[in-house]
Amino acid sequence: EELDMKPVARVFCIQKIIEISYYNMEARTRIQWTKIWEIFSPFFAAAICHSSSNVAMYCIDSLRQLASKFLEKDELSNYAFQKTFLKPFEVGFSRAKNVAVRELVLSCISQLVLSRAENIKSGWKPLFVVLSLAAEDRSEAIMNFGFQIVDTVLRKYFSKIDEVFVDAVSGVGSYARNQLSSAVCLAAIDHLAVRSAVLLAEGNAFEAAKPMPESDSEDAKLVFKDDVDGHVSAWFPLLTGLANAIADTRENVRTAAADGLFSVLGSHGGMFSTGMWRLIFSGVLTPIFDDVEHLPGGERHEVVDSNREDTEWASSTGAQSLRKMIEVSIKHFDSVRPLLPEILQLIRSWIVQESEHIARDGMAAMDHLVQLGSVAFASSDWDIVIASIVALVKDTLPVEITQKQNLMQSPSPDD
């Protein structure tokens, strides 16, 4: 009620709540303090969203001071006190309409990262939620500021965020597809394709994502498996973050994303089990080319306004990506071999297009597959390839023309 007073909101109660919070933070155990904070936290979140920017900024700055004091102490094992304490920043940022208020929230987060990174622990989760929201902000200043913080964390404090590695990678993926700055997109793509991928491949990201021996033998190679949740949850945000950027309208961004994605798969694909490759193919690679099937001649053709844009994408970035996917698949063919029918089906979706240019790209892709696979295919693989080519010849015959000719040449009943 005091905050809603006219013409000027009063902050007396806020000051008292801040004082009470400060003294109880020192005098109470963390478990007792958490119960108190569960009552105060919604109040702080609501105050951050207050219509008066003065009230909101006063509350944010006070919360920053309390957080800095709270984070002086390390977090107890198996507890999430830091996450609970920093939650108002997340709620407040998501609801704040004032750009200056959102910018101040980011400024507070930046100060906490620089001064208290060692003890943030579970608190990284709400912080990365805020940073992910900043990536989608309509203000370029907010978006740039958010990425500066992410960039600082990834370069200086990556060893501190192992527990929220997936959240960090998802946050970077949000910046990789932002529409306000190509430079930020390219920097985010670089983080995903180089730093994050190397950390994962070397087993330095987090404990659950470390590669495992392929078998029980002593010299078994280390692999990432589809039946290990840590492996799937770690790699998929990274790969989908790059794959999503391939659909970007800016050519330099989608080209960098395609280069990054297939560079990761080419460099580290040898560590993926066949099951992992199957998941990657169905969940990451196939969706990249989904729009091709909606073009005239595709199996899911729909008449939509975006057909021209999709055609341009297919004939440029799409064709290059298809070629790179084939190269990566052949490079790791021992693991990818069971997916050969799916690869051929994907190439088929290009060859059957009504657009001659896209169909030619599909034929070039088939030729590329045959040439590269000549040293990798077994006789059973050649049987699959030849059967696919025979089916393609039948499916692309000019049936309509021959039917019309037959109708024209057939004698009429009067004759």
Side-chain angles (χ1 to χ4, degrees):
E1 292 179 2
E2 187 183 63
L3 292 177
D4 294 331
M5 292 183 66
K6 305 294 183 181
V8 180
R10 296 179 61 190
V11 294
F12 177 79
C13 287
I14 293 182
Q15 292 172 344
K16 293 304 175 184
I17 288 175
I18 292 169
E19 291 176 10
I20 292 170
S21 300
Y22 182 84
Y23 292 125
N24 278 276
M25 189 192 305
E26 291 292 311
R28 306 282 183 177
T29 64
R30 285 299 170 98
I31 296 177
Q32 293 172 327
W33 162 250
T34 300
K35 293 180 180 179
I36 296 173
W37 189 247
E38 288 175 355
I39 300 172
F40 288 165
S41 179
F43 176 80
F44 276 99
I48 291 175
C49 305
H50 196 273
S51 57
S52 169
S53 59
N54 290 332
V55 172
M57 290 182 176
Y58 176 79
C59 184
I60 292 169
D61 188 60
S62 300
L63 185 60
R64 176 191 61 78
Q65 295 178 50
L66 288 174
S68 183
K69 183 69 177 176
F70 187 79
L71 293 175
E72 287 180 356
K73 296 181 180 179
D74 197 3
E75 187 173 46
L76 299 176
S77 300
N78 302 318
Y79 287 93
F81 299 129
Q82 268 76 328
K83 176 183 175 182
T84 303
F85 194 94
L86 298 175
K87 187 72 174 178
F89 283 120
E90 174 190 336
V91 178
F93 186 90
S94 64
R95 297 177 182 174
K97 298 179 180 179
N98 191 311
V99 173
V101 171
R102 297 200 299 276
E103 188 172 6
L104 183 58
V105 172
L106 290 178
S107 179
C108 292
I109 289 176
S110 177
Q111 292 179 43
L112 291 175
V113 167
L114 294 174
S115 61
R116 298 285 186 263
E118 189 73 30
N119 292 333
I120 292 179
K121 301 291 177 67
S122 64
W124 284 112
K125 198 170 188 70
L127 295 191
F128 273 111
V129 172
V130 172
L131 296 174
S132 296
L133 291 172
E136 301 169 1
D137 202 283
R138 286 179 290 181
S139 167
E140 187 171 355
I142 295 293
M143 187 276 298
N144 282 325
F145 193 6
F147 185 72
Q148 288 175 16
I149 299 172
V150 170
D151 187 66
T152 299
V153 172
L154 296 181
R155 291 180 184 277
K156 295 184 178 180
Y157 307 110
F158 215 107
S159 61
K160 311 296 181 186
I161 62 171
D162 56 341
E163 296 179 2
V164 290
F165 178 86
V166 174
D167 300 275
V169 169
S170 298
V172 177
S174 299
Y175 286 96
R177 58 179 181 270
N178 90 84
Q179 296 299 309
L180 300 178
S181 171
S182 296
V184 169
C185 288
L186 296 176
I189 288 170
D190 183 66
H191 273 301
L192 291 174
V194 181
R195 295 176 182 83
S196 301
V198 170
L199 281 169
L200 272 176
E202 294 178 349
N204 295 326
F206 61 102
E207 190 65 31
K210 287 186 175 182
M212 303 172 62
E214 187 175 26
S215 63
D216 295 332
S217 62
E218 295 182 359
D219 58 345
K221 72 172 184 177
L222 298 176
V223 296
F224 295 98
K225 302 180 179 180
D226 62 305
D227 57 353
V228 179
D229 291 340
H231 294 173
V232 177
S233 64
W235 278 102
F236 260 67
L238 188 154
L239 297 174
T240 54
L242 292 169
N244 290 337
I246 294 177
D248 198 280
T249 56
R250 296 159 293 187
E251 185 175 1
N252 62 333
V253 173
R254 62 176 185 256
T255 299
D259 291 342
L261 174 63
F262 292 107
S263 174
V264 170
L265 294 176
S267 300
H268 310 299
M271 300 181 71
F272 296 152
S273 67
T274 297
M276 190 72 165
W277 267 109
R278 189 175 295 280
L279 286 179
I280 291 171
F281 194 86
S282 61
V284 178
L285 297 179
T286 301
I288 294 175
F289 307 101
D290 264 354
D291 289 340
V292 175
E293 295 191 9
H294 294 283
L295 295 174
E299 294 181 355
R300 292 183 285 171
H301 168 49
E302 298 175 3
V303 180
V304 294
D305 295 336
S306 62
N307 274 351
R308 170 177 283 186
E309 294 179 2
D310 292 339
T311 301
E312 292 176 354
W313 178 90
S315 61
S316 56
T317 307
Q320 296 170 11
S321 298
L322 184 63
R323 190 178 182 89
K324 290 176 182 176
M325 187 204 71
I326 292 170
E327 292 169 358
V328 167
S329 299
I330 296 301
K331 181 177 181 179
H332 305 295
F333 195 67
D334 287 342
S335 299
V336 180
R337 177 174 274 110
L339 299 175
L340 182 58
E342 284 89 341
I343 296 172
L344 290 167
Q345 178 62 28
L346 185 57
I347 296 174
R348 179 190 181 281
S349 69
W350 286 66
I351 297 176
V352 298
Q353 292 296 318
E354 289 183 7
S355 167
E356 182 178 350
H357 189 70
I358 296 177
R360 286 181 181 276
D361 287 336
M363 286 303 303
M366 178 66 81
D367 180 64
H368 196 49
L369 175 69
V370 170
Q371 289 192 31
L372 292 180
S374 61
V375 295
F377 290 164
S379 58
S380 58
D381 301 321
W382 281 115
D383 291 341
I384 295 173
V385 172
I386 293 171
S388 176
I389 294 174
V390 170
L392 269 171
V393 172
K394 293 179 180 179
D395 292 341
T396 53
L397 286 173
V399 178
E400 293 85 355
I401 296 177
T402 56
Q403 286 177 341
K404 287 182 179 180
Q405 289 177 342
N406 291 335
L407 287 173
M408 293 175 65
Q409 293 173 1
S410 60
S412 63
D414 297 335
D415 294 339

